[in-house]
Amino acid sequence: MVKIFIDPGHGGSDFGATGYGLREKDLTLSISKRLVNILLNEYDDVQVKLSRTGNQTVSLNERTNAANAWNADFLLSIHINASGGSGFESYIYIGSFPSRSATNQKRNIIHDEVIKTTGFIDRGKKEADFHMVRESHMQSILTENGFIDNAHDANLLRQSSFLDKIARGHANGLEKALKLKRKSAEQVSVASSPSDGSSSNREMGDQRYQVNKAVAGYYTAADAKTGENKKSTVKKGDYYVYKRYDGMINVTKQKGVPGSWINPNNNVTTALNTFRIRVTADELWYYNKPDWNAREGIAKKGEVFTVVDTLTVNGSKMYKLKSGKYITANPQYIEKL
Ligand SMILES: [Zn+2]
């Protein structure tokens, strides 16, 4: 099993670089999700974790802490460049460290593959004192994929098909660098063989798929892809693969019987330490920003929330909730679940 930690640069209140109506934080997330999709769909024995799966603010320390705690084998931080230039460059840590030459070798492979699929101008294989490559305990690289404020690059970066090329280049590079095992062609295509009792029956039915958290289930692969017409919730657990199509997977508890289509992108657990709390006070204020004066409404006793971040506001702890609201972290009024 190879554990790959993917870090979409910036996010939340940190937009990263901007230009031509584009924001770095959106592009890095979009590329990262495409990459995760490729890795989980096309390779065996790969685990992937993202430093963020949405538009969250995640500090650099939280990112490397998460990768270190998870014990990743490899960390890839994805960024978009700005300020005077065009093309692609990649980084390893500038200082000395034990796995420097192995890291550099992997970086070189990934770098060359991205150049190949994107046709980016090659700005070179570089070294820098970036937090992500300095503080991560595993081999790690950072890529800068085009210049957001360069007209030519921005025009490419606004095209979905070009973001696919960037993701594909990274995937090809990771495959070679980490010696990832491709699923066989029949595993990634639709199961089309007739069930005539011959050996062809084995191909899909025996394949297993791990659902890591409750995800939405759909009637069709197309719905799963667009996220429309949700029909059910597929619970965490071990499933058989009934079919794969267009990156989507039909998972089932009963071998050979169609189940629900799911989007494997939804099955990625975030590395953030989220946990749940329950309100124990009869009534409790919640806030629309991290400010004790920004009261917005009242949560009632017994209500449960998911916490995504803990902040200190005027000396008192506040939880940021998944909904984007804030609530006190004072254990007199809430309990951790
Ligand atoms: Zn950046």
Side-chain angles (χ1 to χ4, degrees):
M1 185 62 69
V2 182
K3 293 164 83 172
I4 305 172
F5 190 91
I6 296 172
D7 172 47
H10 313 278
S13 58
D14 171 12
F15 286 30
T18 56
Y20 293 98
L22 298 169
R23 305 187 298 193
E24 182 180 0
K25 65 171 184 176
D26 302 325
L27 295 173
T28 58
L29 184 63
S30 184
I31 294 165
S32 298
K33 287 195 158 182
R34 287 160 206 262
L35 176 56
V36 169
N37 205 5
I38 294 171
L39 292 174
L40 295 181
N41 271 308
E42 300 183 17
Y43 298 92
D44 276 329
D45 302 327
V46 178
Q47 272 182 17
V48 182
K49 232 180 233 283
L50 285 163
S51 59
R52 64 182 176 100
T53 53
N55 185 26
Q56 302 108 313
T57 307
V58 185
S59 73
L60 292 174
N61 272 327
E62 285 172 312
R63 291 168 198 246
T64 45
N65 287 349
N68 293 341
W70 186 49
N71 227 335
D73 296 306
F74 194 80
L75 180 149
L76 167 65
S77 185
I78 293 181
H79 287 255
I80 311 292
N81 225 329
S83 307
S86 166
F88 176 83
E89 58 198 33
S90 63
Y91 289 87
I92 62 169
Y93 179 52
I94 195 165
S96 66
F97 57 106
S99 61
R100 165 175 262 278
S101 88
T103 302
N104 194 36
Q105 238 173 9
K106 293 187 175 71
R107 181 275 294 277
N108 292 348
I109 293 170
I110 295 165
H111 181 111
D112 291 345
E113 290 296 327
V114 174
I115 294 290
K116 236 191 265 175
T117 58
T118 59
F120 265 138
I121 292 172
D122 188 346
R123 296 175 54 87
K125 296 157 177 158
K126 304 183 175 184
E127 304 176 351
D129 183 26
F130 292 144
H131 175 100
M132 292 307 298
V133 291
R134 185 184 63 238
E135 302 301 333
S136 47
H137 297 166
M138 67 295 309
Q139 298 184 21
S140 56
I141 72 166
L142 184 148
T143 61
E144 293 278 5
N145 299 271
F147 282 67
I148 205 164
D149 54 357
N150 171 278
H152 171 261
D153 287 7
N155 187 43
L156 292 173
L157 291 167
R158 74 173 76 257
Q159 298 169 37
S160 168
S161 59
F162 189 76
L163 301 184
D164 281 335
K165 286 182 185 172
I166 296 177
R168 179 59 66 182
H170 283 87
N172 291 348
L174 287 166
E175 175 186 341
K176 285 190 185 171
L178 302 175
K179 305 201 169 29
L180 303 182
K181 222 168 68 201
R182 276 201 156 272
K183 289 186 200 291
S184 62
E186 65 180 18
Q187 282 178 315
V188 289
S189 67
V190 186
S192 55
S193 325
S195 14
D196 58 2
S198 71
S199 58
S200 62
N201 256 341
R202 272 187 290 110
E203 40 162 52
M204 275 291 141
D206 287 340
Q207 240 192 79
R208 308 296 297 237
Y209 185 82
Q210 186 73 37
V211 174
N212 300 318
K213 60 176 187 181
V215 296
Y218 302 89
Y219 284 114
T220 66
D223 281 348
K225 188 136 193 171
T226 57
E228 283 160 19
N229 307 318
K230 177 184 169 189
K231 74 156 187 177
S232 63
T233 299
V234 177
K235 289 194 194 124
K236 179 176 171 168
D238 203 20
Y239 289 81
Y240 291 104
V241 174
Y242 178 71
K243 244 179 209 180
R244 290 177 185 266
Y245 180 72
D246 199 15
M248 304 297 113
I249 306 175
N250 190 295
V251 296
T252 177
K253 279 286 183 193
Q254 275 177 286
K255 196 169 162 178
V257 176
S260 296
W261 285 99
I262 66 162
N263 185 335
N265 275 346
N266 299 335
N267 191 28
V268 180
T269 49
T270 165
L272 290 172
N273 285 324
T274 63
F275 55 91
R276 298 193 313 152
I277 54 163
R278 184 190 289 129
V279 175
T280 53
D282 286 339
E283 293 188 329
L284 195 58
W285 287 107
Y286 61 85
Y287 308 83
N288 61 22
K289 54 184 180 200
D291 174 350
W292 297 110
N293 295 316
R295 289 175 174 174
E296 189 179 85
I298 289 174
K300 295 260 196 279
K301 186 172 186 164
E303 282 193 73
V304 172
F305 300 98
T306 300
V307 174
V308 297
D309 204 0
T310 307
L311 311 104
T312 303
V313 180
N314 296 340
S316 302
K317 288 232 186 318
M318 206 179 218
Y319 285 140
K320 182 177 183 184
L321 306 176
K322 203 174 167 193
S323 59
K325 308 295 181 199
Y326 297 80
I327 204 161
T328 177
N330 189 330
Q332 282 190 302
Y333 308 117
I334 56 107
E335 62 177 354
K336 278 196 187 189
L337 299 178

